[in-house]
Amino acid sequence: MHSANHRGGSFEIYNGAAESTTDDEKSRNMEWDKAALQPQRHHLDETQQSWLLYRQETKKKKYVDFGCIACSHRALKWTLYAFVFAVLVILLPTVLAKTLPKHRSKPSPPDNYTLALHKALLFFNAQKSGKLPKNNGIPWREDSGLQDGNGSDFSKLGLVGGYYDAGDNTKFHFPMAFAMTMLSWSVIEYSQKYEAIDEYKHTRDLIKWGTDYLLLTFNSSASKIDKIYCQVGGSQNGSRQPDDHYCWQRPEDMDYPRPSRVVNAGSDLAGEMAAALAAASIVFRDDEVYSEKLVRGAETVYAFARDPGKRQPYSRGKPYIEPFYNSTGYYDEFIWGATWLYYATGNINYIRWATEPGFSKHSKALYRISELSVLSWDNKLPAAMLLLTRCRIFLNPGYPYEEMLHMYHNKTELNMCSYLQQFNVFNWTKGGMIQLSSGRPQPLQYVANTAFLASLFVDYLNATRVPGFQCGSKFIPLDVLRSFATSQINYILGDNPMKMSYVVGYGTKFPRHIHHRGASIPNDKRRYSCTGGWKWRDSPKPNPNNITGAMVGGPDRFDRFRDVRKNYNFTEPTLAGNAGLVAALSSLTSSGGIGIDKNRMFSAVPPLYPPSPPPPPAWKP
């Protein structure tokens, strides 16, 4: 070990370096050392003194020595100038910004889909039945239907609440449940968009208004039930008795009988109610008590649906239902309800039922029948298969579900192909609207639903960085399918031959003679009798109350539209139709960013495979 050199370096002498030193250098070094070490014993002569005096003359330094660095006077001056300038440029604006009054720049204006979405949600406020909250926001609506369901035996509230279905004052529970499922689905997928436009709380309140009511329609505290209330009010075709169709009255003025109708069998109704409650339980996951209540109710009604003794359409043989919301089957609701319950609970039995081959066979889910690729309150197949495709894309559960999931995925792609005009599956109007209802009236509800499915499928694939899908031998880029969705919603919002928005209150030209009792009768504090309201039904004048956000039935197959109140095929809005519109608009708006929330749907789904065992402890000798 060598001694330390406190000035740096080592005291070690390297032989190689010594050997390379010349004799002259050694001599000079030795002489220098001797001279430096020996004391000066003689006096300097004058010349030497002059040298020393000359060297000791003080001169003005051209630099400033800071010890570790030295800089010239000029550099120091410019450095100080730069510092002062920086203070003025940086500090002064900061001080001014804090002291002067703030003028915030306006945010960028919302896109058209956001503007329409704000309005479309208001339609649900206008359709509320029961005791309305103070912030309902529809000045011409008041409390109504407070005696509904007095004969029911499940709750002290009877059947007060819920939503009126359309322009009449009937509460049809089957399409109401479907509307709540669609609203919940859109919130689960696009919650960030609802939050960005400040509609998240509002939409949750709308969903809860519906699900609170659905929980009143059966014994939701029981694990097994034997009946469900399916409707309040209604009428028979051609009736001349005071009822919801014969009378033209505001809901607030109803004074005719409104019977509550009950069914002891109805797998379709129960399956849709299970879907609605299960989907809403995901929306309200942050409210543990309410979410669990919804799940229990969903499981109860789904058990009713699967009961072999209850398996028939709820509308069969019901003259008050069949002409209006006649269900053509219930196996699609079996798949639909089971899928939502799987996402809500994580119970593997539900995914097993959702992929049950028998359900697929009986519902004809995999058949190439064009009508079955159209989502509606009656046919849930395309939506159920898309929802299961989501499971395959993001969770990939594998055996034993992969075979059915793969087939549903393929069928979903075929459905998307069928919506594109180039494949000639559906007819199209000259103005650019796809005819999903084979030219039948009230087409826009089917158009809105299909636009939502197409836009959502695009977002699913985008989330996995898949650029498109196959239609036979053709590869379809995602922007082609997205363009289809936007073109159909744009048609609804005014890009059509009539140059008319079919959403009330959106744009400058929209229908003014809506087939709607509450909107057509002035809120003048006068009560109009059952037939006394006919003068408002038959009036050629525009409605005194705009039912903002209502999407009407829509044009005919020639793009023609008649703004006539009595012609409900053109001018009547529906709960289910508006729910599809809200879902489509939420998927297309750019507010809140692009894309879906991948994980929220699966928050209750446990890992499908057991976790890997922990590694063995480290070996110790």
Side-chain angles (χ1 to χ4, degrees):
M1 175 174 283
H2 303 287
S3 300
N5 181 358
H6 297 291
R7 296 178 180 270
S10 172
F11 281 126
E12 183 178 4
I13 300 175
Y14 293 91
N15 293 330
E19 290 175 358
S20 64
T21 307
T22 63
D23 292 338
D24 291 340
E25 289 171 337
K26 289 179 181 179
S27 175
R28 284 195 297 270
N29 289 338
M30 291 174 64
E31 291 175 359
W32 174 261
D33 291 340
K34 289 178 181 179
L37 294 173
Q38 287 178 356
Q40 297 295 326
R41 297 176 181 268
H42 57 275
H43 298 282
L44 297 176
D45 58 24
E46 292 181 359
T47 302
Q48 291 173 327
Q49 289 180 12
S50 68
W51 288 349
L52 290 175
L53 290 173
Y54 176 78
R55 291 174 183 266
Q56 290 176 354
E57 285 180 1
T58 58
K59 290 186 176 181
K60 184 178 181 181
K61 295 182 179 180
K62 297 182 179 181
Y63 61 88
V64 179
D65 191 349
F66 290 103
C68 57
I69 59 172
C71 66
S72 66
H73 287 280
R74 186 174 182 180
L76 178 62
K77 179 177 68 175
W78 283 108
T79 300
L80 292 174
Y81 287 163
F83 176 75
V84 173
F85 179 76
V87 169
L88 293 175
V89 170
I90 298 173
L91 186 60
L92 186 60
T94 303
V95 173
L96 291 175
K98 290 185 177 181
T99 56
L100 293 177
K102 296 181 179 180
H103 298 283
R104 295 181 180 178
S105 59
K106 295 182 179 180
S108 57
D111 58 33
N112 290 337
Y113 303 127
T114 297
L115 295 174
L117 180 54
H118 285 306
K119 297 181 182 298
L121 288 167
L122 285 176
F123 172 73
F124 292 89
N125 294 66
Q127 293 300 101
K128 284 182 178 179
S129 177
K131 189 168 183 60
L132 303 183
K134 293 181 179 179
N135 63 345
N136 193 50
I138 309 297
W140 46 272
R141 283 301 324 279
E142 300 168 14
D143 298 347
S144 64
L146 300 181
Q147 303 302 314
D148 285 352
N150 275 347
S152 68
D153 51 0
F154 299 145
S155 160
K156 292 180 180 179
L157 294 175
L159 294 172
V160 175
Y163 293 96
Y164 300 114
D165 177 68
D168 53 24
N169 300 329
T170 309
K171 295 192 290 195
F172 291 101
H173 301 169
F174 189 46
M176 187 193 302
F178 173 71
M180 295 305 103
T181 310
M182 292 294 286
L183 289 183
S184 293
W185 193 3
S186 70
V187 169
I188 294 166
E189 302 283 14
Y190 299 108
S191 59
Q192 77 281 6
K193 296 189 178 189
Y194 281 99
E195 289 175 347
I197 64 172
D198 198 26
E199 289 285 7
Y200 182 67
K201 183 181 183 303
H202 178 206
T203 311
R204 279 169 52 111
D205 289 344
L206 296 177
I207 295 169
K208 191 173 186 298
W209 190 268
T211 52
D212 281 350
Y213 178 76
L214 292 176
L215 290 171
L216 300 177
T217 64
F218 66 98
N219 189 358
S220 57
S221 62
S223 58
K224 186 174 182 180
I225 59 175
D226 59 1
K227 63 181 179 181
I228 301 175
Y229 285 94
C230 65
Q231 183 174 320
V232 176
S235 67
Q236 290 183 269
N237 278 341
S239 170
R240 295 294 177 182
Q241 299 297 320
D243 58 29
D244 282 320
H245 279 183
Y246 181 75
C247 297
W248 195 269
Q249 286 180 289
R250 299 170 65 241
E252 293 79 1
D253 297 335
M254 296 182 297
D255 56 358
Y256 48 82
R258 286 172 54 79
S260 303
R261 310 195 183 279
V262 68
V263 292
N264 299 105
S267 296
D268 39 14
L269 171 65
E272 182 55 66
M273 288 176 61
L277 298 175
S281 76
I282 301 173
V283 173
F284 293 99
R285 187 82 71 193
D286 56 338
D287 185 345
E288 186 176 349
V289 174
Y290 188 62
S291 182
E292 289 181 357
K293 183 179 182 180
L294 292 170
V295 167
R296 288 195 303 270
E299 292 185 309
T300 297
V301 288
Y302 194 75
F304 177 95
R306 290 189 64 253
D307 187 332
K310 312 293 186 185
R311 295 190 180 186
Q312 71 175 43
Y314 88 107
S315 56
R316 180 178 296 173
K318 306 292 193 304
Y320 286 88
I321 303 174
E322 277 185 316
F324 310 104
Y325 285 102
N326 182 44
S327 174
T328 56
Y330 50 81
Y331 282 100
D332 55 329
E333 279 87 14
F334 276 170
I335 302 171
W336 178 238
T339 304
W340 278 112
L341 272 165
Y342 174 61
Y343 291 146
T345 66
N347 186 334
I348 206 165
N349 285 325
Y350 291 117
I351 187 65
R352 180 167 58 84
W353 290 327
T355 56
E356 169 61 44
F359 290 174
S360 173
K361 178 182 177 181
H362 289 297
S363 65
K364 301 179 181 179
L366 301 175
Y367 289 32
R368 291 200 175 188
I369 301 174
S370 59
E371 289 185 356
L372 295 183
S373 66
V374 181
L375 172 61
S376 71
W377 54 264
D378 182 35
N379 175 40
K380 319 299 165 39
L381 283 176
M385 290 189 289
L386 177 59
L387 204 57
L388 288 168
T389 297
R390 190 191 208 281
C391 179
R392 182 173 188 259
I393 289 175
F394 297 119
L395 295 184
N396 191 22
Y399 180 83
Y401 316 107
E402 169 60 19
E403 184 178 1
M404 283 304 303
L405 291 179
H406 182 66
M407 288 191 285
Y408 283 153
H409 190 164
N410 288 342
K411 186 59 168 65
T412 294
E413 291 188 343
L414 288 174
N415 288 343
M416 300 300 159
C417 298
S418 74
Y419 304 148
L420 302 178
Q421 192 169 10
Q422 59 183 294
F423 296 108
N424 299 313
V425 176
F426 294 97
N427 293 327
W428 289 60
T429 67
K430 290 184 179 180
M433 180 184 70
I434 187 172
Q435 296 185 50
L436 296 162
S437 56
S438 302
R440 292 190 294 271
Q442 302 176 342
L444 293 186
Q445 58 180 308
Y446 309 106
V447 171
N449 288 340
T450 302
F452 172 62
L453 294 187
S455 182
L456 186 57
F457 184 63
V458 169
D459 283 337
Y460 286 173
L461 296 188
N462 269 331
T464 53
R465 301 184 181 276
V466 175
F469 57 100
Q470 290 293 138
C471 290
S473 60
K474 289 188 177 181
F475 180 78
I476 305 298
L478 295 183
D479 59 351
V480 173
L481 188 60
R482 180 83 80 184
S483 295
F484 159 77
T486 56
S487 71
Q488 297 308 293
I489 296 302
N490 290 345
Y491 183 100
I492 293 173
L493 297 181
D495 187 10
N496 54 63
M498 298 292 293
K499 302 301 178 186
M500 172 182 281
S501 163
Y502 293 120
V503 177
V504 177
Y506 179 84
T508 57
K509 183 182 179 183
F510 51 82
R512 304 281 181 166
H513 301 79
I514 310 303
H515 183 93
H516 192 275
R517 285 159 174 77
S520 65
I521 300 176
N523 185 20
D524 55 7
K525 306 304 179 183
R526 294 178 59 187
R527 182 187 171 279
Y528 295 92
S529 66
C530 171
T531 56
W534 288 1
K535 70 175 183 178
W536 303 111
R537 179 194 65 187
D538 301 335
S539 171
K541 295 181 180 180
N543 287 358
N545 308 307
N546 273 336
I547 181 164
T548 301
M551 182 181 72
V552 296
D556 62 17
R557 58 194 180 96
F558 301 107
D559 297 303
R560 297 174 304 198
F561 180 81
R562 296 183 62 205
D563 189 7
V564 178
R565 188 177 298 110
K566 291 183 71 172
N567 196 328
Y568 59 86
N569 283 332
F570 287 109
T571 59
E572 186 170 25
T574 65
L575 208 63
N578 252 72
L581 175 66
V582 166
L585 291 170
S586 69
S587 73
L588 292 175
T589 179
S590 60
S591 300
I594 303 298
I596 59 164
D597 183 338
K598 286 197 303 183
N599 299 319
R600 188 176 186 183
M601 183 76 77
F602 305 130
S603 56
V605 178
L608 292 169
Y609 307 102
S612 301
W619 180 81
K620 292 182 180 180

